[in-house]
PDB file of all heavy atoms in Angstrom:
ATOM      1  N   HIS A  24      -0.742  -5.785   2.803  1.00 98.00           N
ATOM      2  CA  HIS A  24      -0.025  -4.514   3.089  1.00 98.00           C
ATOM      3  C   HIS A  24       1.559  -4.767   3.157  1.00 98.00           C
ATOM      4  O   HIS A  24       1.987  -5.467   4.087  1.00 98.00           O
ATOM      5  CB  HIS A  24      -0.523  -3.968   4.383  1.00 98.00           C
ATOM      6  CG  HIS A  24       0.159  -2.629   4.804  1.00 98.00           C
ATOM      7  ND1 HIS A  24       0.994  -2.516   5.944  1.00 98.00           N
ATOM      8  CD2 HIS A  24       0.181  -1.362   4.197  1.00 98.00           C
ATOM      9  CE1 HIS A  24       1.382  -1.271   5.966  1.00 98.00           C
ATOM     10  NE2 HIS A  24       0.948  -0.587   5.025  1.00 98.00           N
ATOM     11  N   ARG A  25       2.204  -4.377   2.172  1.00 98.00           N
ATOM     12  CA  ARG A  25       3.667  -4.591   1.982  1.00 98.00           C
ATOM     13  C   ARG A  25       3.917  -6.099   1.939  1.00 98.00           C
ATOM     14  O   ARG A  25       4.911  -6.669   2.320  1.00 98.00           O
ATOM     15  CB  ARG A  25       4.576  -3.997   3.129  1.00 98.00           C
ATOM     16  CG  ARG A  25       4.193  -2.542   3.361  1.00 98.00           C
ATOM     17  CD  ARG A  25       5.037  -1.981   4.574  1.00 98.00           C
ATOM     18  NE  ARG A  25       4.437  -0.717   4.966  1.00 98.00           N
ATOM     19  CZ  ARG A  25       4.827  -0.104   6.109  1.00 98.00           C
ATOM     20  NH1 ARG A  25       5.851  -0.553   6.768  1.00 98.00           N
ATOM     21  NH2 ARG A  25       4.193   0.929   6.574  1.00 98.00           N
ATOM     22  N   HIS A  34       7.841  -6.140   1.959  1.00 98.00           N
ATOM     23  CA  HIS A  34       8.181  -5.807   0.570  1.00 98.00           C
ATOM     24  C   HIS A  34       9.346  -6.757   0.012  1.00 98.00           C
ATOM     25  O   HIS A  34       9.893  -6.391  -1.023  1.00 98.00           O
ATOM     26  CB  HIS A  34       8.616  -4.367   0.409  1.00 98.00           C
ATOM     27  CG  HIS A  34       7.449  -3.473   0.333  1.00 98.00           C
ATOM     28  ND1 HIS A  34       6.259  -3.749  -0.286  1.00 98.00           N
ATOM     29  CD2 HIS A  34       7.227  -2.203   0.922  1.00 98.00           C
ATOM     30  CE1 HIS A  34       5.404  -2.798  -0.229  1.00 98.00           C
ATOM     31  NE2 HIS A  34       6.019  -1.814   0.604  1.00 98.00           N
ATOM     32  N   GLU A  51       0.337  -5.243  -2.129  1.00 98.00           N
ATOM     33  CA  GLU A  51       0.862  -3.838  -2.300  1.00 98.00           C
ATOM     34  C   GLU A  51       2.266  -3.708  -2.599  1.00 98.00           C
ATOM     35  O   GLU A  51       3.088  -4.451  -2.251  1.00 98.00           O
ATOM     36  CB  GLU A  51       0.489  -3.179  -0.978  1.00 98.00           C
ATOM     37  CG  GLU A  51       0.705  -1.643  -1.044  1.00 98.00           C
ATOM     38  CD  GLU A  51       1.085  -0.926   0.232  1.00 98.00           C
ATOM     39  OE1 GLU A  51       1.575  -1.550   1.188  1.00 98.00           O
ATOM     40  OE2 GLU A  51       0.714   0.257   0.331  1.00 98.00           O
ATOM     41  N   GLN A  52       2.526  -2.588  -3.349  1.00 98.00           N
ATOM     42  CA  GLN A  52       3.914  -2.216  -3.738  1.00 98.00           C
ATOM     43  C   GLN A  52       4.054  -0.774  -3.413  1.00 98.00           C
ATOM     44  O   GLN A  52       3.306   0.057  -3.927  1.00 98.00           O
ATOM     45  CB  GLN A  52       4.215  -2.354  -5.220  1.00 98.00           C
ATOM     46  CG  GLN A  52       4.171  -3.790  -5.757  1.00 98.00           C
ATOM     47  CD  GLN A  52       2.727  -4.248  -6.025  1.00 98.00           C
ATOM     48  OE1 GLN A  52       1.890  -3.392  -6.287  1.00 98.00           O
ATOM     49  NE2 GLN A  52       2.537  -5.476  -5.858  1.00 98.00           N
ATOM     50  N   ASP A  53       4.931  -0.361  -2.423  1.00 98.00           N
ATOM     51  CA  ASP A  53       5.326   0.992  -2.259  1.00 98.00           C
ATOM     52  C   ASP A  53       6.472   1.232  -3.221  1.00 98.00           C
ATOM     53  O   ASP A  53       7.447   0.317  -3.321  1.00 98.00           O
ATOM     54  CB  ASP A  53       5.785   1.207  -0.831  1.00 98.00           C
ATOM     55  CG  ASP A  53       4.594   1.273   0.090  1.00 98.00           C
ATOM     56  OD1 ASP A  53       3.568   1.914  -0.202  1.00 98.00           O
ATOM     57  OD2 ASP A  53       4.728   0.584   1.220  1.00 98.00           O
ATOM     58  N   HIS A  66       9.190   0.894   1.155  1.00 98.00           N
ATOM     59  CA  HIS A  66       8.260   1.798   1.794  1.00 98.00           C
ATOM     60  C   HIS A  66       8.773   3.138   2.041  1.00 98.00           C
ATOM     61  O   HIS A  66       8.010   4.140   1.888  1.00 98.00           O
ATOM     62  CB  HIS A  66       7.808   1.216   3.212  1.00 98.00           C
ATOM     63  CG  HIS A  66       6.848   2.087   3.904  1.00 98.00           C
ATOM     64  ND1 HIS A  66       7.198   3.068   4.744  1.00 98.00           N
ATOM     65  CD2 HIS A  66       5.495   2.213   3.729  1.00 98.00           C
ATOM     66  CE1 HIS A  66       6.147   3.704   5.227  1.00 98.00           C
ATOM     67  NE2 HIS A  66       5.008   3.241   4.650  1.00 98.00           N
ATOM     68  N   TYR A 155      -1.310  -3.204  -6.142  1.00 98.00           N
ATOM     69  CA  TYR A 155      -1.800  -2.033  -5.433  1.00 98.00           C
ATOM     70  C   TYR A 155      -0.621  -1.080  -5.224  1.00 98.00           C
ATOM     71  O   TYR A 155      -0.197  -0.872  -4.047  1.00 98.00           O
ATOM     72  CB  TYR A 155      -2.462  -2.436  -4.149  1.00 98.00           C
ATOM     73  CG  TYR A 155      -3.622  -1.581  -3.701  1.00 98.00           C
ATOM     74  CD1 TYR A 155      -4.850  -2.108  -3.492  1.00 98.00           C
ATOM     75  CD2 TYR A 155      -3.441  -0.236  -3.522  1.00 98.00           C
ATOM     76  CE1 TYR A 155      -5.961  -1.328  -3.169  1.00 98.00           C
ATOM     77  CE2 TYR A 155      -4.513   0.590  -3.137  1.00 98.00           C
ATOM     78  CZ  TYR A 155      -5.777  -0.015  -2.942  1.00 98.00           C
ATOM     79  OH  TYR A 155      -6.923   0.823  -2.618  1.00 98.00           O
ATOM     80  N   GLU A 157       1.907   2.179  -4.712  1.00 98.00           N
ATOM     81  CA  GLU A 157       1.748   3.475  -4.202  1.00 98.00           C
ATOM     82  C   GLU A 157       2.920   4.351  -4.602  1.00 98.00           C
ATOM     83  O   GLU A 157       4.080   3.964  -4.502  1.00 98.00           O
ATOM     84  CB  GLU A 157       1.767   3.399  -2.615  1.00 98.00           C
ATOM     85  CG  GLU A 157       1.729   4.849  -2.069  1.00 98.00           C
ATOM     86  CD  GLU A 157       1.758   4.903  -0.533  1.00 98.00           C
ATOM     87  OE1 GLU A 157       1.552   3.878   0.056  1.00 98.00           O
ATOM     88  OE2 GLU A 157       1.887   6.058   0.007  1.00 98.00           O
ATOM     89  N   LYS A 159       5.321   6.834  -3.803  1.00 98.00           N
ATOM     90  CA  LYS A 159       5.836   7.380  -2.486  1.00 98.00           C
ATOM     91  C   LYS A 159       6.489   8.682  -2.737  1.00 98.00           C
ATOM     92  O   LYS A 159       7.450   8.918  -3.528  1.00 98.00           O
ATOM     93  CB  LYS A 159       6.815   6.422  -1.804  1.00 98.00           C
ATOM     94  CG  LYS A 159       6.307   5.030  -1.484  1.00 98.00           C
ATOM     95  CD  LYS A 159       5.126   5.005  -0.442  1.00 98.00           C
ATOM     96  CE  LYS A 159       5.463   5.466   0.858  1.00 98.00           C
ATOM     97  NZ  LYS A 159       4.370   5.000   1.856  1.00 98.00           N
ATOM     98  N   GLN A 194      -2.190   4.220  -5.830  1.00 98.00           N
ATOM     99  CA  GLN A 194      -2.599   5.082  -4.616  1.00 98.00           C
ATOM    100  C   GLN A 194      -1.475   6.104  -4.420  1.00 98.00           C
ATOM    101  O   GLN A 194      -0.317   5.912  -4.729  1.00 98.00           O
ATOM    102  CB  GLN A 194      -2.641   4.080  -3.452  1.00 98.00           C
ATOM    103  CG  GLN A 194      -1.572   3.051  -3.374  1.00 98.00           C
ATOM    104  CD  GLN A 194      -1.391   2.315  -2.083  1.00 98.00           C
ATOM    105  OE1 GLN A 194      -1.965   2.803  -1.071  1.00 98.00           O
ATOM    106  NE2 GLN A 194      -0.659   1.321  -2.101  1.00 98.00           N
ATOM    107  N   PHE A 196      -0.634   9.664  -1.448  1.00 98.00           N
ATOM    108  CA  PHE A 196      -1.048  10.622  -0.359  1.00 98.00           C
ATOM    109  C   PHE A 196      -1.097  12.073  -0.879  1.00 98.00           C
ATOM    110  O   PHE A 196      -1.535  12.895  -0.100  1.00 98.00           O
ATOM    111  CB  PHE A 196      -0.113  10.478   0.873  1.00 98.00           C
ATOM    112  CG  PHE A 196      -0.427   9.418   1.829  1.00 98.00           C
ATOM    113  CD1 PHE A 196       0.275   8.223   1.908  1.00 98.00           C
ATOM    114  CD2 PHE A 196      -1.514   9.601   2.734  1.00 98.00           C
ATOM    115  CE1 PHE A 196      -0.014   7.356   2.914  1.00 98.00           C
ATOM    116  CE2 PHE A 196      -1.880   8.657   3.715  1.00 98.00           C
ATOM    117  CZ  PHE A 196      -1.018   7.453   3.806  1.00 98.00           C
ATOM    118  N   LEU A 217      -5.224   8.368  -0.862  1.00 98.00           N
ATOM    119  CA  LEU A 217      -4.849   8.094   0.525  1.00 98.00           C
ATOM    120  C   LEU A 217      -5.127   9.284   1.382  1.00 98.00           C
ATOM    121  O   LEU A 217      -4.775  10.406   1.041  1.00 98.00           O
ATOM    122  CB  LEU A 217      -3.350   7.592   0.620  1.00 98.00           C
ATOM    123  CG  LEU A 217      -3.199   6.251  -0.073  1.00 98.00           C
ATOM    124  CD1 LEU A 217      -1.621   5.997  -0.048  1.00 98.00           C
ATOM    125  CD2 LEU A 217      -3.891   5.066   0.594  1.00 98.00           C
ATOM    126  N   PHE A 310      -6.458  -2.872   4.048  1.00 98.00           N
ATOM    127  CA  PHE A 310      -5.049  -3.092   4.048  1.00 98.00           C
ATOM    128  C   PHE A 310      -4.694  -3.901   5.361  1.00 98.00           C
ATOM    129  O   PHE A 310      -5.136  -3.485   6.408  1.00 98.00           O
ATOM    130  CB  PHE A 310      -4.198  -1.920   4.021  1.00 98.00           C
ATOM    131  CG  PHE A 310      -4.216  -1.147   2.706  1.00 98.00           C
ATOM    132  CD1 PHE A 310      -5.158  -0.197   2.424  1.00 98.00           C
ATOM    133  CD2 PHE A 310      -3.179  -1.429   1.809  1.00 98.00           C
ATOM    134  CE1 PHE A 310      -5.151   0.518   1.259  1.00 98.00           C
ATOM    135  CE2 PHE A 310      -3.160  -0.678   0.586  1.00 98.00           C
ATOM    136  CZ  PHE A 310      -4.155   0.212   0.331  1.00 98.00           C
TER     137      PHE A 310
HETATM  138 CA1  LIG B 401       1.735   1.904   1.228  1.00 64.95          CA
END
Side-chain angles (χ1 to χ4, degrees):
H24 181 246
R25 311 182 201 171
H34 285 319
E51 193 205 23
Q52 299 76 33
D53 289 311
H66 179 268
Y155 214 121
E157 178 181 348
K159 297 299 288 196
Q194 46 167 342
F196 272 107
L217 295 170
F310 288 89

